[in-house]
């Protein structure tokens, strides 16, 4: 299987119901200019599960998750080393188009960021429309399906033409999730998707993640440990050393990490002794 | 008892400082409103005076006929209106894309020395007296390329004046577009180019249009560079390679003449120029007010 263009097209045409896209991170280091931010991360991201990335602020969680769909390099001067495999293929391999990678590995950001000049409807199909033609009937179907998947359809079905910026914060974030789903990615990355939201909206997003797990592989960054414990199947704990470079401390099934972590530092963090 | 004293003391203190703050607030508000009023008043006075002096010149012939030598009754500034419109159209065609392109380059791609050099050059051109632009176009285009005074040379001079205005406003407006929107688009697997065209530009649209309108207005009122390039023309001319009339030149010619009738005509032509620029601004805003991002 290849991520190069023709194969990508083939992958995108596969039915949505096809499952099981796993990722592996192998010796991933990331830099901002000359400064190393993250060092030597190696871990697996199993298919159709939720993997949480936890750790104190500044330990490199966002940097790592942004490396998983090549968004890291969008920052001027930023680069990454090592391998990130999607179904065994290195997304940093030669000849791989980062634009195609991002279609397969979608991303939801911390702060809801719908396109303010576009309606709810146009926001949902933005990724598809910005990439090519789309006929009206097809677009209608995708908009409804994506909004339903994002548990937003009932709330916005009567105001599809309203501006995306007119929705509440929680609705905006679900709109951003719908927008990501519309592109039919294989993996969804979420960087603290609920940290800017109220508790009720947070619960809605968490419920949504549980539903999305059926179909997608999910990686979520959170600094809320209860949230990691509630939603995730696997948890990776990161920590920055005295050199302020983030490293992976340990990764394992979430219930084990929270009940009997192998590392003292994990236990200290989880029990709230620092961070 | 002691506690209540403390509270009342604190409250008393808060009370006076609150009064003071309210007073300062009020003074500030009055000052701001006052300066706004003065600004608007000056503009209104100017407009009123131009209308007062220019209105007597206006009639159908003023808009449809060519200027006549002094002594012959009637005549108008039609060639100048058409000349201004033609030269502005060509200048816009040249200047707006180059200006927008420069602004986009500076914000979306440019960094390091090269971008700094471009930014510096743009500032330099913006600061250039417009007569220098005229001299430059005259010595290069009029003398060596076209061979005579021509509307095209005028349009090129106006375009050179427009580029830095469009480029700098575009740069500022594009910088206001949050990076989170660019990232949102890129994360959907949209290319850089399409992100800029379909997300960044539409988000900054209002500001970009304002910059374009400002540049058009500024170019539409330029006289000095046109005297050295388009020269002016008493006759109708649709050939951009020949000398061409323009409203500012016409105003200048009428205003420096010795006749009362010409002075009135100068005021009338000023009024027409204001009208032309206002119409162009409104048309530009109207034409760009609808979403450029529609379901296909
Ligand atoms: N755009 C950037 N430029 C330079 N350094 C950055 C940038 N973003 C993050 N960093 C640095 O990288 C380290 C990790 O940051 P980040 O990945 O955002 O951590 P987290 O998401 O865990 O809070 C921090 O030391 C931070 O200062
Ligand atoms: Mg972060």
């Amino acid at each position: 299987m290849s991520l190069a263009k023709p194969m990508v097209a083939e992958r995108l045409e596969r039915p949505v119901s096809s499952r099981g896209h796993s990722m592996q991170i192998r010796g991933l280091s990331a830099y901002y200019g000359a400064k190393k931010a993250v060092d030597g991360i190696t871990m697996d991201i199993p298919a159709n599960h939720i993997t949480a990335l936890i750790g104190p602020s500044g330990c490199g969680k966002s940097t790592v998750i942004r490396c998983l769909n090549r968004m890291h390099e969008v920052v001027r001067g930023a680069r990454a080393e090592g391998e990130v495999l999607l179904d065994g293929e290195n997304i940093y391999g030669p000849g791989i188009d980062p634009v195609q990678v991002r279609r397969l590995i979608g991303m939801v950001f911390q702060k809801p960021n719908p396109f303010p000049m576009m309606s709810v409807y146009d926001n949902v199909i933005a990724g598809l429309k910005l990439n090519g033609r789309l006929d009206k009937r097809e677009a209608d179907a995708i908009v409804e399906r994506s909004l339903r998947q994002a548990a937003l359809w009932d709330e916005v079905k009567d105001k599809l033409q309203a501006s995306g910026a007119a929705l509440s914060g929680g609705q905006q974030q679900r709109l951003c999730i719908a927008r990501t789903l519309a592109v039919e990615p294989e993996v969804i990355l979420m960087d603290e998707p609920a940290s800017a939201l109220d508790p009720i909206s947070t619960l809605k997003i968490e419920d949504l993640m549980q539903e999305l797990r059926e179909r997608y592989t999910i990686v979520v960054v959170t600094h809320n440990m209860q949230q990691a414990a509630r939603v995730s199947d696997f948890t990776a704990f990161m920590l920055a050393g005295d050199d302020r470079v983030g490293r992976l401390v340990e990764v394992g099934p979430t219930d084990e990490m929270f009940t009997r972590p192998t590392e003292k530092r994990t236990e200290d963090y989880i029990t709230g002794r620092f961070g | 008892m002691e506690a209540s004293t403390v509270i009342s003391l604190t409250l008393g203190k808060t009370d006076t400082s609150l009064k003071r703050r309210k007073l300062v607030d009020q003074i500030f508000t009055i000052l701001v409103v006052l300066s706004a009023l003065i600004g608007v008043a000056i503009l209104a006075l100017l407009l009123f005076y131009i209308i007062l002096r220019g209105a007597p010149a206006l009639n159908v012939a003023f808009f449809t006929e060519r200027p006549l030598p002094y002594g012959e009754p009637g005549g108008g500034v039609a060639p100048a209106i058409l000349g201004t419109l033609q030269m502005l159209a060509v200048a816009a065609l040249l200047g707006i894309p180059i200006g927008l392109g420069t602004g986009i380059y500076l914000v979306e791609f440019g960094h390091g020395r090269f971008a700094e050099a471009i930014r510096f050059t743009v500032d330099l051109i913006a600061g250039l007296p417009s007569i220098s632009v005229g001299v430059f176009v005259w010595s290069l285009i009029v003398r060596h390329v076209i061979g005579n005074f021509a509307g095209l040379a005028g349009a090129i001079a106006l375009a050179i004046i427009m580029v830095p205005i469009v480029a700098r406003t575009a740069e500022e407006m594009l910088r206001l577009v949050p990076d989170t929107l660019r990232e949102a688009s890129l994360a959907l697997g949209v290319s850089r180019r399409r992100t800029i065209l379909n997300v960044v530009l539409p988000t900054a649209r209002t500001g970009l249009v304002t910059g374009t309108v400002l540049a058009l207005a500024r170019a539409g009122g330029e006289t000095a560079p046109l005297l050295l390039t388009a020269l002016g023309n008493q006759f109708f001319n649709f050939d951009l390679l020949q000398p061409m009339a323009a409203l500012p030149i016409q105003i200048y010619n009428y205003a420096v003449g010795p006749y009362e009738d010409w002075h009135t005509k100068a005021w009338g032509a000023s009024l027409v120029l204001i009208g032309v620029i206002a119409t162009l601004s409104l048309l530009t805003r109207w034409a760009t007010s609808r979403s450029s991002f529609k379901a296909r």
Side-chain angles (χ1 to χ4, degrees):
Chain A
M1 216 182 303
S2 161
L3 269 171
K5 268 187 175 163
M7 298 302 281
V8 165
E10 200 175 284
R11 290 166 76 118
L12 290 173
E13 276 159 24
R14 277 193 314 225
V16 230
S17 58
S18 84
R19 293 183 177 188
H21 302 284
S22 63
M23 295 183 79
Q24 288 86 35
I25 307 175
R26 295 288 175 259
L28 177 73
S29 298
Y31 301 79
Y32 291 100
K35 183 188 176 288
K36 196 178 217 179
V38 161
D39 181 49
I41 308 282
T42 294
M43 62 180 274
D44 291 351
I45 295 161
N48 295 111
H49 284 86
I50 299 178
T51 303
L53 226 50
I54 64 169
S57 178
C59 70
K61 305 179 296 294
S62 296
T63 304
V64 167
I65 203 172
R66 287 167 61 92
C67 284
L68 301 187
N69 69 342
R70 299 194 61 170
M71 280 300 287
H72 175 62
E73 67 209 53
V74 166
V75 175
R76 189 160 288 162
R79 64 192 174 83
E81 280 170 4
E83 291 188 346
V84 175
L85 311 175
L86 172 61
D87 292 338
E89 194 186 358
N90 184 11
I91 65 170
Y92 284 94
I96 301 288
D97 178 3
V99 171
Q100 296 298 315
V101 169
R102 294 176 201 136
R103 299 208 70 187
L104 297 173
I105 308 173
M107 181 161 224
V108 176
F109 296 83
Q110 181 168 3
K111 213 169 145 264
N113 53 0
F115 301 117
M117 306 301 285
M118 295 182 202
S119 64
V120 170
Y121 185 102
D122 283 336
N123 258 286
V124 177
I125 51 168
L128 295 168
K129 205 161 60 172
L130 295 176
N131 269 310
R133 289 166 310 281
L134 195 64
D135 75 56
K136 179 88 176 84
R137 241 171 6 119
E138 205 183 344
D140 286 348
I142 291 171
V143 168
E144 176 164 354
R145 191 192 66 218
S146 308
L147 286 171
R148 279 190 193 284
Q149 274 186 294
L152 188 58
W153 174 252
D154 291 330
E155 289 163 61
V156 300
K157 63 171 185 272
D158 297 321
K159 43 182 172 182
L160 291 176
Q161 293 310 320
S163 162
L167 304 180
S168 75
Q171 289 174 328
Q172 285 187 16
Q173 192 62 304
R174 277 176 286 148
L175 177 59
C176 293
I177 293 174
R179 177 174 75 182
T180 303
L181 297 177
V183 190
E184 291 182 12
E186 299 178 347
V187 178
I188 300 176
L189 310 174
M190 299 177 157
D191 189 353
E192 305 201 28
S195 70
L197 306 180
D198 61 89
I200 292 180
S201 301
T202 300
L203 277 182
K204 279 191 182 149
I205 302 274
E206 288 180 5
D207 288 346
L208 180 55
M209 288 168 67
Q210 297 303 322
E211 276 166 37
L212 294 177
R213 176 172 50 180
E214 299 289 312
R215 198 169 276 177
Y216 301 95
T217 302
I218 298 177
V219 182
V220 59
V221 166
T222 175
H223 65 222
N224 177 334
M225 275 171 299
Q226 286 76 30
Q227 183 170 62
R230 275 196 304 267
V231 301
S232 73
D233 306 303
F234 295 90
T235 298
F237 173 54
M238 285 181 67
L239 202 56
D242 293 334
D243 53 359
R244 315 229 354 243
V245 176
R247 292 184 183 82
L248 183 68
V249 175
E250 66 176 308
V251 54
T254 297
D255 41 8
E256 281 181 26
M257 287 282 285
F258 278 86
T259 49
R260 40 186 195 288
T262 46
E263 285 271 342
K264 177 86 170 60
R265 288 174 295 170
T266 313
E267 192 183 333
D268 286 350
Y269 181 69
I270 283 167
T271 52
R273 229 161 289 167
F274 72 89
Chain B
M1 204 200 102
E2 209 186 327
S4 81
T5 324
V6 170
I7 287 172
S8 69
L9 269 177
T10 331
L11 274 179
K13 199 172 159 212
T14 316
D15 213 32
T16 44
S17 77
L18 187 70
K19 264 187 198 148
R20 224 180 70 103
R21 210 164 52 227
K22 272 190 173 166
L23 188 70
V24 173
D25 266 5
Q26 275 172 352
I27 293 173
F28 185 74
T29 309
I30 290 171
L31 282 179
V32 171
V33 170
L34 210 64
S35 43
L37 280 180
I38 291 173
V40 170
I42 291 174
L43 281 180
L45 202 69
L46 198 72
L47 194 62
F48 174 75
Y49 195 64
I50 294 175
I51 292 173
L52 191 74
R53 299 292 303 266
L58 300 187
N59 50 43
V60 176
F62 198 71
F63 291 93
T64 56
E65 290 181 8
R66 69 181 196 82
L68 296 175
Y70 181 70
E72 292 183 40
V77 295
I81 297 176
L82 290 172
T84 284
L85 287 177
Q86 287 176 77
M87 286 191 280
L88 275 184
V90 175
L93 234 51
L94 294 172
I96 293 172
I98 295 176
L100 279 183
T102 308
I104 292 171
Y105 169 78
L106 287 176
V107 176
E108 306 292 334
F109 301 98
H111 51 102
R113 286 240 179 111
F114 188 58
E116 265 325 303
I118 289 192
R119 197 170 285 122
F120 181 72
T121 313
V122 167
D123 280 347
L124 212 64
I125 301 176
L128 221 55
S130 57
I131 185 101
S132 316
V133 174
V135 171
F136 169 73
V137 174
W138 171 76
S139 70
L140 194 74
I141 310 279
V142 173
R143 290 185 61 197
H144 295 297
V145 180
I146 304 178
N148 53 271
F149 292 108
L152 183 60
I156 290 172
L158 297 184
I160 293 175
I161 289 166
M162 288 178 72
V163 165
I165 304 175
V166 175
R168 282 328 284 268
T169 37
E171 190 190 352
E172 275 164 39
M173 294 306 147
L174 294 176
R175 276 201 203 290
L176 289 180
V177 175
D179 272 341
T180 55
L181 291 184
R182 292 182 179 87
E183 293 205 334
S185 174
L186 292 174
L188 289 170
V190 177
S191 67
R192 266 310 263 301
R193 183 177 60 87
R194 282 193 180 259
T195 296
I196 293 169
L197 287 179
N198 295 329
V199 175
V200 179
L201 292 183
T203 307
R205 191 178 55 217
T206 320
L208 296 176
V209 170
T210 300
T212 307
V213 166
L214 275 178
L216 270 176
R218 164 83 196 280
E222 280 296 342
T223 318
L226 291 185
L227 283 170
L228 292 168
T229 52
L231 187 66
N233 195 334
Q234 301 297 309
F235 299 92
F236 286 98
N237 173 26
F238 297 95
D239 183 354
L240 281 163
L241 295 177
Q242 293 301 320
M244 194 170 267
L247 279 167
I249 302 179
Q250 196 67 53
I251 294 168
Y252 173 77
N253 287 337
Y254 277 142
V256 298
Y259 317 110
E260 195 51 43
D261 173 51
W262 278 20
H263 294 168
T264 306
K265 285 199 162 87
W267 287 107
S270 306
L271 194 52
V272 172
L273 180 56
I274 291 174
V276 166
I277 288 171
T279 311
L280 284 181
S281 307
L282 288 177
L283 280 178
T284 313
R285 286 192 192 282
W286 175 79
T288 51
S289 65
R290 282 153 308 168
S291 172
S292 54
F293 192 93
K294 287 239 163 68
R296 269 167 286 185

